[in-house]
Amino acid sequence: MRAEEIYKQFFTGGSAGGGFAEMFNSFSSSNNSQPAQLILHLTFMEAVKGCKKQVSVRVQGSCRRCMGSGGEPGTKEQTCPYCRGRGEEVIHTGLFHMKSTCRHCHGHGTIISVPCLQCHGTGTSTTTETVNVKVPAGVANGQMLRAPVGHSEAHITIKVEESKVFKREGFDVHTDAYLSFTQCILGGEARVPGLNGPINIKVPPGSQSHHRMRLSNRGIPRLDGAGKGDHYVHIRIKIPKKLTEQQTKLITDYARTETLVDGKVNGIETQEPVGRHRDQEDQWHTSRKKGYFRS
């Protein structure tokens, strides 16, 4: 007999009508229980600050009706007619005769006479249990938590809802601060949202749009406990759409004196300032004297 034929009889049953394949399948199926896979939805602030949640998990445990025996309460087990109570059977596979655990009573030597009406003789039942999950502060979208469930565990994937105010990058957060153009020109103070409440910031004079201010250690807690990330505030300038007559006059007067316009302002008859021409002429004459330009 060739080696492959021997393996075939051993692992596919051969002439024994099931053989080792059936035993291996029953062994793998009884030991292949996988952890429950769950998804836990959190708000942005719940993920930042941490929270406690309750989730429902369907778990497999002992049948409560038969207490895991598989037999209907009040009935007795019978001697296995296949192995006659020995719990073993002899498998003939060609040239080999091997003893193995009885496939009918699984080595117990007895079989259930009347199966349990609830679990149908399996001895197990599926129940729903409530599990308390402690979510650590700083958890991120897509991360997985493990929670014990009876003699097993549940794998919980975190899904974090996006914030309309904050944008997260690692353990840093970013927000926009919408300031008036007078605040940016003259400087002042502004109030911006923070993870632990509003934050007062100082606006330096001459602040430009899209300027970024860093607030150290005001970000998201690190999971390893090593402090927090930073909070970055991005300056955005609010331009008024409507002005009063007085405001329009003031802005118009300012526009007539402005020297940094590259182009034209509506309603203003502007000429390039004389000072700029004189500065350019002075620079040209100075450069000519130094020999930078030769005719």
Side-chain angles (χ1 to χ4, degrees), residues 129-188:
E129 293 190 12
T130 300
V131 180
N132 295 319
V133 181
K134 185 177 181 180
V135 180
V139 69
N141 185 56
Q143 289 186 325
M144 187 186 72
L145 303 178
R146 293 182 175 181
V149 182
H151 299 290
S152 184
E153 66 177 5
H155 291 178
I156 304 172
T157 302
I158 300 297
K159 295 295 183 182
V160 182
E161 178 184 350
E162 291 186 2
S163 172
K164 296 181 180 179
V165 178
F166 301 98
K167 180 181 178 182
R168 178 172 181 170
E169 288 186 357
F171 295 100
D172 298 331
V173 291
H174 299 256
T175 56
D176 292 334
Y178 292 91
L179 309 179
S180 69
F181 71 97
T182 54
Q183 281 178 300
C184 294
I185 293 173
L186 303 176

Side-chain angles (χ1 to χ4, degrees), residues 75-284:
T75 62
K76 295 183 179 180
E77 296 181 344
Q78 295 179 347
T79 300
C80 177
Y82 299 94
C83 67
R84 298 178 182 179
R86 294 190 300 268
E88 294 180 337
E89 63 176 316
V90 178
I91 298 178
H92 302 278
T93 56
L95 300 176
F96 298 94
H97 303 276
M98 301 192 66
K99 288 184 178 181
S100 176
T101 301
C102 178
R103 288 168 288 172
H104 302 279
C105 68
H106 303 289
H108 296 291
T110 58
I111 60 174
I112 298 171
S113 58
V114 181
C116 173
L117 297 178
Q118 181 173 338
C119 67
H120 306 290
T122 62
T124 61
S125 62
T126 302
T127 59
T128 301
E129 293 190 12
T130 300
V131 180
N132 295 319
V133 181
K134 185 177 181 180
V135 180
V139 69
N141 185 56
Q143 289 186 325
M144 187 186 72
L145 303 178
R146 293 182 175 181
V149 182
H151 299 290
S152 184
E153 66 177 5
H155 291 178
I156 304 172
T157 302
I158 300 297
K159 295 295 183 182
V160 182
E161 178 184 350
E162 291 186 2
S163 172
K164 296 181 180 179
V165 178
F166 301 98
K167 180 181 178 182
R168 178 172 181 170
E169 288 186 357
F171 295 100
D172 298 331
V173 291
H174 299 256
T175 56
D176 292 334
Y178 292 91
L179 309 179
S180 69
F181 71 97
T182 54
Q183 281 178 300
C184 294
I185 293 173
L186 303 176
E189 294 184 357
R191 196 174 179 86
V192 298
L195 295 179
N196 297 304
I199 303 174
N200 293 323
I201 61 172
K202 291 185 177 181
V203 181
S207 295
Q208 302 295 314
S209 180
H210 295 77
H211 172 70
R212 188 175 73 170
M213 302 176 63
R214 177 184 176 187
L215 306 178
S216 299
N217 205 36
R218 294 289 188 96
I220 299 173
R222 302 182 186 277
L223 292 175
D224 58 3
K228 301 179 181 180
D230 299 327
H231 184 165
Y232 291 94
V233 179
H234 299 261
I235 301 298
R236 301 287 188 264
I237 299 178
K238 294 186 299 183
I239 303 298
K241 294 183 178 180
K242 294 183 180 180
L243 298 175
T244 64
E245 185 177 349
Q246 182 182 8
Q247 290 173 334
T248 303
K249 182 178 182 305
L250 292 173
I251 293 296
T252 303
D253 292 340
Y254 172 76
R256 289 195 178 99
T257 63
E258 192 173 16
T259 60
L260 299 178
V261 176
D262 186 8
K264 182 180 179 181
V265 178
N266 289 339
I268 305 298
E269 295 296 334
T270 58
Q271 294 182 350
E272 194 171 7
V274 178
R276 181 181 298 182
H277 280 298
R278 289 177 179 174
D279 291 340
Q280 292 177 349
E281 290 178 359
D282 291 342
Q283 292 177 3
W284 187 84

